[in-house]
Amino acid sequence: MAELTQSIPASGPRQSAAPKASRWKRSTGAGRTQSAGPVTYILLIIATLFSLFPLYWTVVAASRTDTELITPPTPLLPGSHLIDNLKIVWSEVDMTKALINSTIVAACVAVSTVLFATLAGFAFAKLQFRGRNALLTIVVTTMTIPPQLTVIPLYQIVSNIGWVGHIQSVILPSLVAAFGVFFMRQFLSEALPVELVEAARVDGAHSLRIIWHVVFPIARPAMAVLGMLVFVQSWNDFFWPFIALNQQNPTVQVALQGLGSGDHTINHAVVVCGALVATLPLLLVFMVLGKQIVGGITAGAVKS
Amino acid sequence: MATSVRATSDGTPGSSRNAPNSQHGGDPGPPRANWRVRLFRLDTKASPYVYIAPFFLCFAAFGLFPLIYTGWLSFHEVQLGTHATWVGARNYKELWDNTFFWGALRNTFTMGVISTVPQLLFALGLAHLLNYKMRARGFFRVAILAPYATSIAAATLVFIQIFNPDYGMMNQVLGHFGAGHIQWNNSKWPAQIAISTIVTWRWTGYNALIYLAAMQAVPGDLYEAASLDGASRWRQFISVTIPSIRPTIFFTIIVSTIGATQLFGEPLMFGGSIGYSGGSDHQYQTLSLYMYDKGWQTGELGQASAVAWVMLLILLLIGAVQMLVARANRRKLGG
């Protein structure tokens, strides 16, 4: 773990020294330039099939009846019962409320994380202050603390103030994440020329003004990507919402858990249909913004 | 990117109120300006701390304090809503004597290995493939990342259907090879493999993209030199690519190990209504599930806290081992 915290800040300067700010937008493929042969394509197509097939099959199963699903051979083409299954999903769990809750939670967490992470990332990337490296190491180290170590006291706190089953108990602990701080720091140390900040300072701009007029405009693409990543993460989060919420006021994931483990006989097609409802919003986002998300993940990655 | 930088540097600082000289030069200035300079200096000094404060406040309240408090609780007997009584190391001793705890520890370890190792190996191979110049690379990248958009809950519910012993697709496919009667839920190893498959499916693409980013930062002349020396593509992959991206590999190993230690949602949902016991015979109960079982089913928060702290100790241990391995590795290569 110490190795990790050392290697990450160390990778910063080396990386920013490289004259390649364009890497953010489009990978330049500096390493290899060989073209792909047919074997590469075949292997990649197989990998893609493995990756996409379960998603496709979710659509298939969600549009079938329970009987069709549990009678081999398993159907491989979509059926005509999607609407019926959706109706049953909505009658078994409060999906509308769950979708609204998930949207509120993910949106709040994304907006606040992006805002605070940009401020902190800017400070770590471009401002000089005492204890900067030590504090950055702490930030990175906190990424390794598992949520299991904090849920018991959190649950006690939340239950003492009567927030169990209320979504603020899910929003509040995730207002800002170490990953976001680190992500914005990586981006800003590459993309924001320090002269720009100094010039603004010399011009007498106070720091909030610098943030607003210099940092935010430059950081906008990274903020958008971080926002999406955090939104996805928050939408898919399970452990803490499962503990802090309940079936009366669930997020989508908690509602799904309820759908899959009810006491009544489980209708498998309906369960998969619920999974589809939970995944579809994000898949749509992925289809539209996939390339930006991919770019964000690769840009936030630790490079050697 | 460059254009947006220029646009801002042309526009904003120029439009702010003072000309550079009036602030900087030997302008004696009235006391009001003096005050302003002092404020400006204070702003420069204090603002970094203001910007990082939200993170550290949030971390102190929802990370550090609970972390320490969990440690404190682990030495107490406490039910939700009751007062804690000091019991010393009894919670830890009870864990030590408990076969379910050791089972959970073993399961966490085995499932960690059979999900992390294939996941990272596949990711490495995929990243290598994606690093070639090709058509439709954007499509391939998005496609292999698509599982990342699914949640633990949704993915597990779908894979439960695929792995169903009676009608699931997996057994139908394996049936063509004469091995179609695997009890994916009730027997130990098949269940652990099924659960690990879900983890691997969701995270391989994500790791592949992280590796890809690292690979693209490897200088091209290293490969040119290698191919001049007559190194085959495979040889280049082993001798140039892997050593060059070692810090990234190290990073993903740590992150996936941490993830594997926390395995919770997949086994919970894989078991359906008896999920928190980790299957009919606890055959895939992980440490997290065991902690949940202790804390929220039995209501023994002290015991649950002890489990949580054992997890932290394990993570520290793994971190130390990995650090030693990395150091030994570097020495060997560094000469």
Side-chain angles (χ1 to χ4, degrees):
Chain A
M1 240 173 284
E3 167 81 9
L4 168 72
T5 56
Q6 282 163 14
S7 76
I8 288 173
S11 76
R14 235 184 301 161
Q15 182 186 314
S16 56
K20 243 191 282 162
S22 65
R23 197 196 290 144
W24 176 259
K25 275 211 156 157
R26 228 173 56 85
S27 355
T28 47
R32 301 204 133 203
T33 44
Q34 286 129 316
S35 295
V39 181
T40 306
Y41 282 107
I42 291 169
L43 290 175
L44 274 178
I45 288 167
I46 293 173
T48 305
L49 286 178
F50 269 106
S51 162
L52 294 183
F53 180 77
L55 295 172
Y56 165 74
W57 191 76
T58 307
V59 179
V60 173
S63 58
R64 293 283 180 161
T65 64
D66 191 43
T67 332
E68 284 171 331
L69 207 56
I70 62 172
T71 325
T74 306
L76 292 176
L77 291 172
S80 56
H81 292 84
L82 186 61
I83 305 292
D84 302 339
N85 288 338
L86 284 173
K87 278 182 190 152
I88 307 178
V89 168
W90 253 265
S91 71
E92 302 234 328
V93 293
D94 196 344
M95 240 339 155
T96 312
K97 195 186 235 173
L99 283 167
I100 293 173
N101 278 345
S102 277
T103 310
I104 295 174
V105 168
C108 289
V109 170
V111 168
S112 105
T113 302
V114 167
L115 183 67
F116 290 138
T118 309
L119 293 179
F122 166 61
F124 280 123
K126 295 291 158 181
L127 301 180
Q128 296 299 330
F129 56 95
R130 201 184 284 268
R132 181 171 91 156
N133 290 339
L135 289 171
L136 184 62
T137 308
I138 293 177
V139 171
V140 175
T141 315
T142 62
M143 283 200 258
T144 61
I145 297 174
Q148 278 78 356
L149 276 152
T150 57
V151 290
I152 295 167
L154 276 187
Y155 185 78
Q156 284 188 314
I157 297 169
V158 164
S159 89
N160 277 339
I161 49 182
W163 278 7
V164 171
H166 294 275
I167 54 170
Q168 62 265 39
S169 64
V170 179
I171 298 174
L172 213 60
S174 358
L175 283 181
V176 56
F179 165 75
V181 176
F182 181 64
F183 180 90
M184 289 311 299
R185 180 214 170 250
Q186 292 293 86
F187 175 78
L188 285 173
S189 45
E190 222 179 294
L192 175 64
V194 74
E195 296 79 19
L196 212 55
V197 180
E198 278 162 9
R201 266 208 188 291
V202 169
D203 286 356
H206 56 85
S207 56
L208 275 182
R209 208 179 163 87
I210 296 178
I211 298 267
W212 188 254
H213 289 292
V214 180
V215 178
F216 278 173
I218 288 180
R220 202 177 291 138
M223 289 164 88
V225 169
L226 179 64
M228 285 185 294
L229 289 178
V230 174
F231 191 93
V232 170
Q233 241 162 39
S234 177
W235 180 278
N236 286 338
D237 194 18
F238 182 69
F239 184 59
W240 173 241
F242 171 69
I243 287 173
L245 299 178
N246 48 41
Q247 291 301 333
Q248 280 73 54
N249 192 29
T251 57
V252 171
Q253 311 306 333
V254 178
L256 264 190
Q257 196 274 337
L259 198 62
S261 69
D263 296 326
H264 47 84
T265 332
I266 288 172
N267 180 328
H268 299 91
V270 167
V271 170
V272 178
C273 188
L276 182 67
V277 173
T279 316
L280 210 54
L282 289 193
L283 276 183
L284 290 178
V285 171
F286 244 64
M287 279 179 207
V288 180
L289 302 166
K291 279 191 179 167
Q292 279 83 342
I293 296 178
V294 167
I297 284 177
T298 50
V302 189
K303 277 164 267 184
S304 41
Chain B
M1 188 96 327
T3 51
S4 80
V5 171
R6 202 158 306 132
T8 331
S9 74
D10 285 341
T12 337
S15 73
S16 63
R17 49 223 146 123
N18 292 327
N21 282 342
S22 72
Q23 275 285 328
H24 222 240
D27 186 8
R32 202 173 126 263
N34 227 340
W35 184 79
R36 196 189 248 172
V37 167
R38 204 172 300 161
L39 194 71
F40 185 77
R41 204 167 294 151
L42 180 75
D43 176 38
T44 322
K45 274 247 157 74
S47 60
Y49 296 104
V50 176
Y51 299 148
I52 63 172
F55 170 80
F56 282 96
L57 288 177
C58 200
F59 170 65
F62 302 114
L64 190 62
F65 164 70
L67 179 77
I68 294 165
Y69 192 74
T70 305
W72 183 84
L73 272 182
S74 72
F75 293 103
H76 289 75
E77 185 177 307
V78 57
Q79 310 269 322
L80 196 64
T82 67
H83 284 286
T85 348
W86 174 266
V87 291
R90 200 180 78 193
N91 286 324
Y92 290 95
K93 201 188 158 297
E94 278 176 18
L95 286 187
W96 185 271
D97 295 334
N98 189 320
T99 47
F100 291 136
F101 167 73
W102 288 105
L105 188 61
R106 254 197 315 276
N107 292 338
T108 306
F109 177 76
T110 51
M111 282 197 271
V113 171
I114 54 183
S115 61
T116 306
V117 174
Q119 174 191 323
L120 295 184
L121 288 179
F122 287 149
L124 210 50
L126 269 176
H128 178 71
L129 295 177
L130 286 168
N131 202 18
Y132 286 113
K133 253 191 199 163
M134 69 176 77
R135 286 166 193 282
R137 63 198 285 167
F139 165 77
F140 282 126
R141 288 180 191 182
V142 175
I144 63 157
L145 187 64
Y148 171 77
T150 64
S151 63
I152 288 173
T156 308
L157 289 175
V158 172
F159 273 84
I160 287 174
Q161 306 303 321
I162 295 178
F163 279 109
N164 186 289
D166 300 322
Y167 57 83
M169 212 177 309
M170 193 55 81
N171 273 355
Q172 285 173 39
V173 172
L174 290 177
H176 293 297
F177 303 97
H181 307 291
I182 297 173
Q183 292 300 313
W184 292 107
N185 195 354
N186 295 326
S187 40
K188 181 178 175 179
W189 288 110
Q192 294 204 359
I193 290 171
I195 292 167
S196 304
T197 307
I198 307 170
V199 180
T200 305
W201 179 72
R202 278 190 68 221
W203 290 105
T204 299
Y206 183 85
N207 285 306
L209 288 175
I210 289 180
Y211 286 147
L212 179 64
M215 285 180 188
Q216 290 184 336
V218 179
D221 37 353
L222 282 182
Y223 292 103
E224 277 164 36
S227 60
L228 279 179
D229 288 346
S232 66
R233 281 186 173 187
W234 172 249
R235 186 76 223 173
Q236 290 179 20
F237 177 66
I238 296 295
S239 311
V240 178
T241 309
I242 302 278
S244 305
I245 65 167
R246 203 176 322 116
T248 310
I249 295 180
F250 194 80
F251 174 78
T252 55
I253 290 177
I254 290 179
V255 171
S256 342
T257 309
I258 294 167
T261 318
Q262 303 165 17
L263 195 61
F264 176 78
E266 291 91 343
L268 175 85
M269 301 198 60
F270 197 79
S273 54
I274 52 158
Y276 50 83
S277 64
S280 49
D281 198 22
H282 304 272
Q283 72 270 31
Y284 48 85
Q285 186 169 42
T286 58
L287 281 179
S288 293
L289 278 178
Y290 186 70
M291 184 192 115
Y292 178 77
D293 196 13
K294 280 284 170 205
W296 280 269
Q297 300 294 321
T298 328
E300 297 169 79
L301 291 178
Q303 282 265 310
S305 304
V307 179
W309 262 70
V310 168
M311 287 172 68
L312 182 67
L313 295 180
I314 293 169
L315 278 175
L316 290 176
L317 195 72
I318 295 172
V321 170
Q322 284 173 338
M323 202 175 71
L324 288 178
V325 170
R327 192 172 294 165
N329 238 331
R330 211 171 16 206
R331 202 168 303 144
K332 217 187 319 172
L333 279 140

